[in-house]
Amino acid sequence: MMKTAQEYIESMKNFNPRIFLGGKRVNLFENPTTLTVIKANARVYELSQEPAYQEIMTAVSPYTGGRISRCLHIAQSIHDLERRAEMALLTSQMLGTCNYRCVGADVLNALAGVTWEMDRDLGTDYHQRFLAYLKHLQENDLACSGAVTDPKGDRSKRPAQQSDPDVYVHVAEKKADGIIVRGAKVSQSGAIGCHETVVIPTMGMREGEEAFAVAFAVPNGAPGITYISQYTPFTAEREVVSDIRYLGNPEYGQRETCIMVFDNVFVPWERVFMCGETRYSGRLIARFAKTHRMNCGGACKVGFIDLIIGAAQLAAEYSGVQKAPHIVEKITDMIRISETSRACTIAAALKGSEEPAGSGFYLPNDIFGNVAKLTVADGFWEVMKWVGDIAGGMAVTMPSEEELNNPESGPYVRKFMCASAPAELRLRVAKFVQNWCAGLHGAGTWHGAGSPQAQKMVLYALTDLEEKKRLAKNLAGIKD
Ligand SMILES: Cc1cc2nc3c(=O)[nH]c(=O)nc-3n(C[C@H](O)[C@H](O)[C@H](O)COP(=O)(O)OP(=O)(O)OC[C@H]3O[C@@H](n4cnc5c(N)ncnc54)[C@H](O)[C@@H]3O)c2cc1C
């Protein structure tokens, strides 16, 4: 059965994850910043219950026969791919932060095909284990985060060459009933607020790196797991503000991530989906990247840009410049960037295909997915430039909305911050703009779903330059 938002919240109270934030141990529900992760997840559960969004937020599972969250669905068609991208777009529009189940959804999709192949080629039972786990997630409508990014240590060295092997998650010991894993994953979006986390290697492993070719699932706060949360100026601001409405994204805050430490964590065999099969680890991360770049890299950020465009238009109207030709042009440019990126994600879905052949699982087109992510990575800075321009200097120089409650400073702020709209509205929208253009989202969008250089390498490798040369030679009349 699919959970309501309230059922999700109640179910998370059964966990007591070991979370550190700002140097202190904090409680998931009591800390104002970690609470934003619970609220964002609860909103995603809520959206999944709304009839208007049923086609986007849910699907029918071929494994349980019931309606499930699309966050737990394995794409069975191009239609599913397109709906998945729409879900990323919708949740970003509604939250202005991460759908913290997004990475998990894409890891599950990558694991489906690779475990299927391993069972076919190697006679393992990884796929059966995976399907049993998937059914467990689907039947209980569990929130599942995805852990991919290792700390990686010295980037010029392979995992086995690192002075500390723990900078890549690896198998420390194999036992009769399971494995002991050690290491950490960094920049983990919302892992603190999810019931489960699925873990895969951050890159393809080679012979001799078997210990690092490991994929598995763990419940929130399993013994040996510690979460060390990010701490930013936004965290500090949330700790002191008297009313969260004065924050840039009041309910859902920033994209909250953490370092997830695995200090000798026991994983039973039924939750292990790869253990030493280096030859399959490369395609696992490649398939994850393929789907994640369409969803997180592309569609999700289009949803963010929609919010930024809306705020830019409001800011222009509140200060009375909305008809100025250069403002109209800048808003139009932002729309162009947003719609180009969106078109790439739709193309990635529509040009998707069954992979591996015969599995019944679908993945997006790699070229369009990578182009979607690259277009957004560049375009997002451009969009932030324009919204900063349109909102004026007050996007970064504004006083707090708290001043309006102060009998001494409030009247001045009302008087001098008023334009074609009252000070309250101008301050509120400026703060919303500040959240985007002077916040964490630029670098976040750049690196989320992989730093752009990774996409450029894929793009270059996948493009058939011989065919393009042949076309040019043909018209230019060049004979070999
Ligand atoms: C907001 C946000 C949310 C995220 N959420 C998640 C999540 O939920 N789960 C998850 O698993 N990950 C998550 N990530 C991690 C994300 O996938 C990584 O940030 C990304 O893959 C880049 O890795 P890195 O941060 O270690 O950067 P680095 O690897 O340190 O990259 C920095 C620079 O070094 C370059 N570089 C790196 N290695 C090499 C090399 N060998 N040779 C040449 N150049 C190199 C890169 O191209 C880049 O220019 C998130 C990231 C962000 C910003």
Side-chain angles (χ1 to χ4, degrees):
M1 276 287 284
M2 288 181 58
K3 283 184 169 42
T4 63
Q6 197 51 39
E7 285 167 345
Y8 156 72
I9 290 170
E10 290 308 317
S11 67
M12 284 310 298
K13 291 184 179 158
N14 297 325
F15 297 98
N16 184 21
R18 190 163 179 256
I19 307 171
F20 290 87
L21 182 144
K24 298 183 198 76
R25 176 91 195 255
V26 298
N27 179 284
L28 178 60
F29 280 88
E30 287 166 13
N31 180 274
T33 296
T34 55
L35 185 61
T36 61
V37 176
I38 295 289
K39 284 186 182 176
N41 273 354
R43 181 72 179 124
V44 171
Y45 277 94
E46 200 173 63
L47 288 170
S48 308
Q49 300 275 340
E50 288 185 24
Y53 301 131
Q54 191 187 59
E55 266 301 299
I56 294 176
M57 296 300 298
T58 71
V60 174
S61 166
Y63 306 110
T64 67
R67 193 159 280 281
I68 56 162
S69 164
R70 195 171 286 284
C71 300
L72 298 171
H73 184 55
I74 308 299
Q76 315 279 313
S77 65
I78 282 170
H79 177 73
D80 273 341
L81 295 175
E82 193 265 332
R83 297 283 92 181
R84 169 70 184 92
E86 284 295 298
M87 175 171 74
L89 176 71
L90 175 71
T91 52
S92 286
Q93 289 171 333
M94 294 292 165
L95 298 171
T97 185
C98 218
N99 166 5
Y100 293 115
R101 302 168 74 179
C102 171
V103 187
D106 294 341
V107 167
L108 291 171
N109 273 270
L111 272 170
V114 172
T115 53
W116 181 87
E117 272 176 328
M118 284 195 288
D119 283 11
R120 181 196 62 190
D121 302 349
L122 310 174
T124 53
D125 66 349
Y126 289 126
H127 192 57
Q128 290 317 309
R129 288 180 201 175
F130 171 77
L131 289 183
Y133 176 62
L134 185 70
K135 267 180 84 171
H136 165 69
L137 295 177
Q138 293 180 347
E139 280 166 358
N140 297 288
D141 196 12
L142 300 180
C144 184
S145 73
V148 183
T149 311
D150 289 286
K152 300 191 290 270
D154 182 341
R155 270 78 171 148
S156 68
K157 293 183 176 152
R158 299 285 309 173
Q161 297 168 337
Q162 300 286 338
S163 54
D164 180 354
D166 292 355
V167 294
Y168 284 83
V169 166
H170 61 281
V171 180
E173 193 185 337
K174 282 188 194 174
K175 302 173 81 153
D177 50 352
I179 56 175
I180 306 285
V181 292
R182 204 153 64 216
K185 294 284 184 181
V186 296
S187 305
Q188 295 306 294
S189 298
I192 53 174
C194 291
H195 303 98
E196 292 275 324
T197 295
V198 266
V199 182
I200 61 170
T202 199
M203 62 189 213
M205 297 299 165
R206 299 176 184 162
E207 242 183 84
E209 297 172 342
E210 284 73 14
F212 303 96
V214 61
F216 57 91
V218 284
N220 181 307
I225 293 180
T226 300
Y227 305 88
I228 304 170
S229 289
Q230 67 182 49
Y231 192 89
T232 69
F234 294 93
T235 325
E237 189 182 25
R238 189 168 285 272
E239 281 166 356
V240 297
V241 77
S242 68
D243 184 335
I244 62 168
R245 285 177 308 156
Y246 306 151
L247 298 174
N249 186 0
E251 296 294 332
Y252 309 119
Q254 299 300 311
R255 284 188 276 163
E256 290 302 329
T257 71
C258 63
I259 303 173
M260 187 173 177
V261 179
F262 297 83
D263 191 355
N264 291 326
V265 174
F266 172 72
V267 185
W269 283 115
E270 61 264 28
R271 292 290 186 262
V272 178
F273 311 122
M274 172 181 282
C275 188
E277 293 77 6
T278 50
R279 201 154 65 82
Y280 293 82
S281 58
R283 65 187 83 166
L284 182 54
I285 186 67
R287 287 184 190 150
F288 163 74
K290 201 178 268 201
T291 178
H292 203 51
R293 284 178 191 156
M294 172 181 82
N295 298 317
C296 164
C300 158
K301 304 309 175 300
V302 175
F304 286 173
I305 297 176
D306 285 343
L307 293 169
I308 298 173
I309 294 173
Q313 182 64 29
L314 282 172
E317 290 173 15
Y318 290 173
S319 63
V321 297
Q322 74 273 24
K323 295 217 171 92
H326 77 102
I327 299 289
V328 172
E329 190 185 329
K330 285 164 186 166
I331 296 272
T332 311
D333 243 13
M334 292 159 84
I335 297 169
R336 170 190 52 82
I337 291 166
S338 169
E339 297 306 332
T340 307
S341 309
R342 184 164 186 214
C344 292
T345 67
I346 294 171
L350 297 187
K351 292 286 180 185
S353 57
E354 189 189 47
E355 183 178 344
S359 66
F361 306 132
Y362 276 70
L363 288 173
N365 175 279
D366 222 357
I367 290 192
F368 289 120
N370 276 283
V371 173
K373 159 76 215 255
L374 275 177
T375 306
V376 158
D378 274 335
F380 206 83
W381 293 106
E382 191 79 355
V383 163
M384 291 198 300
K385 180 176 81 181
W386 293 140
V387 73
D389 174 271
I390 293 168
M394 83 179 272
V396 288
T397 62
M398 61 173 285
S400 167
E401 209 179 320
E402 308 238 26
E403 301 293 354
L404 300 178
N405 304 322
N406 185 313
E408 290 178 68
S409 55
Y412 291 135
V413 172
R414 277 207 171 78
K415 177 179 162 79
F416 294 117
M417 290 289 106
C418 172
S420 54
E424 280 91 338
L425 291 180
R426 294 192 71 224
L427 290 176
R428 189 63 65 89
V429 83
K431 190 68 184 169
F432 188 78
V433 167
Q434 188 182 86
N435 175 61
W436 296 102
C437 76
L440 312 177
H441 288 284
T445 295
W446 190 257
H447 288 292
S451 312
Q453 193 56 28
Q455 289 102 68
K456 289 188 181 170
M457 284 161 63
V458 174
L459 207 53
Y460 189 78
L462 287 180
T463 298
D464 187 350
L465 287 176
E466 287 308 313
E467 169 62 5
K468 293 191 193 304
K469 272 163 53 185
R470 195 189 61 72
L471 291 169
K473 282 202 267 185
N474 178 42
L475 269 196
I478 299 171
K479 302 253 181 297
D480 283 326

